[in-house]
Amino acid sequence: MRGTLVFIRRFTRPSLIGLLLFVAHAGSAEPYQLILEDIRSPGVNVYVAVYSAQASGWDSEPLLQLRETLPDTQSATVALPLTPGAYAIRAFVDLDGNGELATNERGRPEEPFAISVGEGRRQPSTQFSRSIFQLHEGQPEVTLTLRYPVAASDH
């Protein structure tokens, strides 16, 4: 009898733990995603910062920060572990590998970047309030198109 109890304990503990991990994973599966378009630098890191709509602006602490390696495709999908709500997103491709957006003397980006397009708008805006969008069951994704700065020598 004692051997049977030891077997049952050893068998059920890992099974119960596995079941709990499966249920926890299934319950945490995020339906929201970010789609990055116009990728031209595969193998390079992209940094993404997600802000709550209640933030005071781009200088606020991001709600979520992600770093992903860009694939060798024109677009990439990144899971967003977020709840339904209003957000603003900005991202940049770290061409120089230093983890920071390179800017010129005027503060303009020198690396590819993207900003979310706010509701009712057609183009992204650097103004935080114009970059807020909604994620919900009917709108489970947001698309950001990377913008490529024109080099000074291209003018």
Side-chain angles (χ1 to χ4, degrees), residues 19-29:
L19 178 63
L20 291 174
L21 289 173
F22 174 78
V23 170
H25 176 71
S28 68

Side-chain angles (χ1 to χ4, degrees), residues 20-70:
L20 291 174
L21 289 173
F22 174 78
V23 170
H25 176 71
S28 68
E30 303 303 329
Y32 302 118
Q33 55 189 6
L34 164 65
I35 299 170
L36 285 169
E37 293 186 335
D38 198 14
I39 296 172
R40 301 180 196 173
S41 303
V44 176
N45 285 331
V46 62
Y47 288 84
V48 178
V50 181
Y51 300 81
S52 167
Q54 287 77 37
S56 60
W58 296 122
D59 292 333
S60 299
E61 186 68 27
L63 182 66
L64 175 67
Q65 294 181 24
L66 303 168
R67 182 183 73 193
E68 297 284 332
T69 301
L70 293 172

Side-chain angles (χ1 to χ4, degrees), residues 1-17:
M1 177 77 168
R2 181 169 157 77
T4 304
L5 288 176
V6 170
F7 173 78
I8 290 173
R9 284 186 194 137
R10 286 185 182 162
F11 178 77
T12 57
R13 276 190 196 144
S15 297
L16 181 60
I17 291 169

